[in-house]
Amino acid sequence: MKKYAAILLAGMMALSLAACGGSGSGNSNKEEAAPAETETVTEETGTDAAEAATDAAAGTAAEFTTVSEGELHMATNAAFPPYEMTSDGEGYATDAAGSVHFEGIDVEVAAMIAEKLGLKLVIDDMEFGSVITSVQSGKADMAMAGLTVTEDRKQNVDFTDSYATGVQVVIVPEDSDIATVDDLAKDKMIGVQDGTTGYIYCSDTVENGGYGEDHVTSYTNGAMAIEALKAGKVDAVVIDNEPAKQFVAVNEGLKILDTEYIVENYAIGISKDNPALCAAVNNALNELIADGTVQQIVDKYINAGE
Ligand code: ARG
């Protein structure tokens, strides 16, 4: 698992220079100055993105389109507290029908971004494995789901700057003989959420730092993986740290291992065909980070009472 931390760290550093498809303000000149061996289409896209990013940074209204006029559709999987979950009260946004209410760090930050862009936030709740494809296929505007930036995912969507970090942790029953991540290799069955980085790491080959496909069972969401753990169907669950804390808090007899961790970056994924929207969302996000709004929202859900 250590190996991944290093890879992700490298990815993270690349990301900070390359939000929204590699047109970070620092290297836009380089990109425009080196068109020779670049295909025309790619070159144009890059330049558009660079211009959009510059416009957004300068506070001018970069033109962007959304899938439904006046709305910002957020593809998410709202079974991931404290980032996104359904709300018993009003919440901070609803689904398209207006009948289901949502709350959580991502939902609140997204609502603030939408407000800055003059749009109404709409939540498209789906399985986690669909959030990126729904953005790629133009059904939703942005994927925001405690979504970890990975090199593979960067092939499919552009990411904004990161607004939070996540850590993959291991949940086991209190009386488990699993004490470290290495113990997971001892013929244990690991429960994960389908399509997540937890799944990707754990199902990878032993040579690559994983445990092999045969040692992993995927569940539709974290809560189902936890149920399987309680029922003894799996020996451990690998999931992001903040949801892990929430699941352990409401389920007796479980604990989080204090062992090696994989640190990841969460960011918003946006279609590669919509660089102007990516720039506008990224700009709004950075304003909310700079003025402390994001931290306030995080504190409300995570650090409160600690
Ligand atoms: N951070 C992990 C990933 O990106 C898990 C995210 C799961 N999110 C959710 N809303 N269920 O793969």
Side-chain angles (χ1 to χ4, degrees), residues 2-3 13 33 48 112 181 193 209 213 226 263 272 274 305:
K2 251 187 208 157
K3 226 177 291 165
M13 280 148 74
D48 280 358
M112 300 290 293
V181 285
Q193 314 167 86
E213 193 80 56
I226 294 295
V263 180
K272 289 186 178 289
N274 206 345

Side-chain angles (χ1 to χ4, degrees), residues 77 80 84 128 145-148 153 193 196-197 240 264 266:
N77 169 249
F80 199 64
E84 42 266 331
F128 179 73
L147 181 64
T148 302
R153 290 173 181 168
Q193 314 167 86
T196 60
T197 48
D240 306 51
E264 308 177 328
Y266 294 167

Side-chain angles (χ1 to χ4, degrees), residues 65-86:
T65 52
T66 58
V67 292
S68 177
E69 213 190 316
E71 296 181 346
L72 183 66
H73 280 250
M74 165 173 152
T76 198
N77 169 249
F80 199 64
Y83 294 96
E84 42 266 331
M85 57 271 192
T86 51

Side-chain angles (χ1 to χ4, degrees), residues 71-74 92-94 107 110-111 114 119-123 142:
E71 296 181 346
L72 183 66
H73 280 250
M74 165 173 152
Y92 294 86
T94 68
V107 177
L119 301 168
K120 176 181 177 234
L121 180 67
V122 177
I123 306 293
M142 62 178 200

Side-chain angles (χ1 to χ4, degrees), residues 63 135 174 177 202 219 237 261-262 276 283 297 302 306:
E63 263 182 53
V135 163
E174 258 159 13
D177 61 350
C202 292
Y219 294 92
V237 167
Y261 300 126
I262 299 172
N283 187 47
I297 295 171
I302 295 181
E306 262 179 27

Side-chain angles (χ1 to χ4, degrees), residues 77-114:
N77 169 249
F80 199 64
Y83 294 96
E84 42 266 331
M85 57 271 192
T86 51
S87 169
D88 295 336
E90 279 301 297
Y92 294 86
T94 68
D95 63 352
S99 48
V100 187
H101 296 248
F102 298 92
E103 60 186 11
I105 295 168
D106 288 349
V107 177
E108 274 198 54
V109 171
M112 300 290 293
I113 290 172

